[in-house]
């Protein structure tokens, strides 16, 4: 190699290094900006939702007071209108509650303690007792569920939303929702055990293959025609985020008209 060739190669090397360093600094700065604006957005959603709740409660309370004190004197049309105000305020309250929960999940600390999932599901069934009876639904847990290290508050949200949906998006005469656990397989090669798979299975209307990713997105609803009751489009987003915050995976298997199974893992 000639002296000038070595000199050129070394200068070229330095120039490439400069570009790489410059680019990686730029990337780090962009990442920082992105995290900051994400954090600000989360904080904005949280504060806005929080501050909207109290005037909304006021609107519902005053409308209910009007119905109680002068409902009989109102013309039927006006009574319906005031009743609509109450219903719409409750619906908006449900959206705000969902948004608060979703944004809280973005920054909440996930506490991992041993949680008996039989207890979690037992409490949910108790909470939903009236809805389960009204829908003539049956919640089955064929085998005892495991005790896993997870945050009980957010795992409760996973099972609650999936069980409620399994009952709601269901047109069968006998609605059945099954909650179960598939024991993890042990690898023959390494002797190590994989993560167990939890599932919530229903015999409802099913979800088409092309909609299975979309239903996990914020505000995405497939049945906006109210046939299956009013929803917020937030339940499955909360489920997906809870699973993600537990370093788990979530996927859906479904046959239209026969039902859907939501599988998920925790702590992979
Ligand atoms: P919401 O139920 O409040 O509309 P979700 O985020 O829980 O919001 O669900 C999003 C949409 O996914 C629902 O509107 C419904 O169309 C569909 N979906 C959810 N769960 C099921 C299910 N178990 N079977 C069929 N469709 C479902």
């Amino acid at each position: 190699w000639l002296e000038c060739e070595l000199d050129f190669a070394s200068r070229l090397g330095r120039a490439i290094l400069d570009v790489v360093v410059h680019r990686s600094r730029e990337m780090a700065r962009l990442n920082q900006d992105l995290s900051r604006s994400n954090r600000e957005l989360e904080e904005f959603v949280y504060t806005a939702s929080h501050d909207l709740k109290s005037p909304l409660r006021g609107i519902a309370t005053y409308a209910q007071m009007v119905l109680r004190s002068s409902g009989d004197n109102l013309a039927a049309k006006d009574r319906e209108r005031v009743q609509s105000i109450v219903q719409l305020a409750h619906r908006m309250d449900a959206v705000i509650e969902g948004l608060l929960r979703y944004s809280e999940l973005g920054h909440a600390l996930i506490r991992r303690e041993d949680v008996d999932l039989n207890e979690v599901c037992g409490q949910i069934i108790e909470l939903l007792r009236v809805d389960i009876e009204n829908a003539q639904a049956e919640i089955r847990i064929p085998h005892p569920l495991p005790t896993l290290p997870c945050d009980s508050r957010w795992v409760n949200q996973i099972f609650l939303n999936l069980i409620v949906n399994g009952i709601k998006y269901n047109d069968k005469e006998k609605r059945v929702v099954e909650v179960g656990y598939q024991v993890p397989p042990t690898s023959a090669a390494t002797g190590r055990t994989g993560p167990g798979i939890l599932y919530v299975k229903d015999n409802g209307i099913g979800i088409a293959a092309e909609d299975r990713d979309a239903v996990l997105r914020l505000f995405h609803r497939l049945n906006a025609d109210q046939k299956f009751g009013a929803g917020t489009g937030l339940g499955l987003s909360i489920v997906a985020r809870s699973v993600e915050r537990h370093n788990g995976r979530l996927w859906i298997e479904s046959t239209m008209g026969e039902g859907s199974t939501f599988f998920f893992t925790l702590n992979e």
Side-chain angles (χ1 to χ4, degrees), residues 2-206:
L2 297 173
E3 186 79 15
C4 65
E5 284 173 334
L6 286 172
D7 181 46
F8 177 74
S10 122
R11 272 193 288 144
L12 184 66
R14 270 202 304 277
I16 291 173
L17 204 65
D18 278 354
V19 170
V20 171
V21 169
H22 179 75
R23 274 287 150 86
S24 70
R25 278 203 193 120
E26 182 90 335
M27 287 282 282
R29 196 182 55 73
L30 284 174
N31 265 337
Q32 256 178 7
D33 285 355
L34 200 63
S35 313
R36 188 177 39 76
S37 67
N38 264 345
R39 241 188 348 264
E40 280 173 7
L41 197 64
E42 294 274 0
E43 273 164 26
F44 170 76
V45 171
Y46 188 80
T47 313
S49 308
H50 198 264
D51 290 359
L52 282 172
K53 272 187 85 73
S54 111
L56 194 63
R57 290 247 160 93
I59 293 171
T61 308
Y62 282 120
Q64 272 161 339
M65 280 163 74
V66 170
L67 279 178
R68 264 199 301 273
S69 62
S70 4
D72 294 341
N73 304 329
L74 290 175
K77 262 246 153 321
D78 290 334
R79 204 170 44 243
E80 270 173 32
R81 284 179 182 139
V82 182
Q83 275 161 350
S84 295
I85 293 177
V86 176
Q87 276 166 10
L88 290 171
H90 285 319
R91 187 163 153 58
M92 199 163 154
D93 192 57
V95 174
I96 291 174
E97 269 298 325
L99 268 178
L100 271 171
R101 225 164 268 150
Y102 182 81
S103 84
E104 200 184 338
L105 248 181
H107 55 259
L109 187 75
I110 300 295
R111 287 173 218 280
R112 283 186 172 74
E113 287 163 347
D114 280 347
V115 175
D116 181 350
L117 298 180
N118 299 292
E119 260 176 41
V120 172
C121 290
Q123 284 163 4
I124 292 171
I125 293 170
E126 194 51 45
L127 181 81
L128 297 175
R129 183 172 295 282
V130 175
D131 297 306
I132 294 171
E133 273 171 21
N134 287 345
Q136 296 186 344
E138 185 192 346
I139 314 294
R140 286 185 194 150
I141 305 180
H143 303 288
L145 299 170
T147 292
L148 293 178
C150 56
D151 192 317
S152 58
R153 178 175 175 213
W154 297 115
V155 167
N156 174 293
Q157 284 293 310
I158 299 177
F159 283 109
L160 177 66
N161 282 297
L162 294 180
I163 293 172
V164 166
N165 282 353
I167 300 171
K168 188 158 91 168
Y169 299 105
N170 201 321
D171 52 2
K172 302 293 180 308
E173 204 168 312
K174 179 81 199 147
R175 302 175 197 200
V176 181
V177 177
E178 182 178 304
V179 181
Y181 178 66
Q182 294 173 352
V183 181
T186 304
S187 154
T190 63
R192 283 173 57 188
T193 311
I197 298 172
L198 292 150
Y199 68 85
V200 177
K201 175 181 178 177
D202 63 59
N203 63 340
I205 57 173

Side-chain angles (χ1 to χ4, degrees), residues 161-162 165-170 202 204-207 215-217 219-224 229-237 254 259-260 262:
N161 282 297
L162 294 180
N165 282 353
I167 300 171
K168 188 158 91 168
Y169 299 105
N170 201 321
D202 63 59
I205 57 173
I207 302 173
V215 288
L216 303 179
R217 288 203 295 269
F219 295 121
H220 199 95
R221 306 196 62 224
L222 300 177
N223 312 93
T232 60
L234 284 160
L236 289 182
S237 314
S254 183
S260 313
F262 288 76

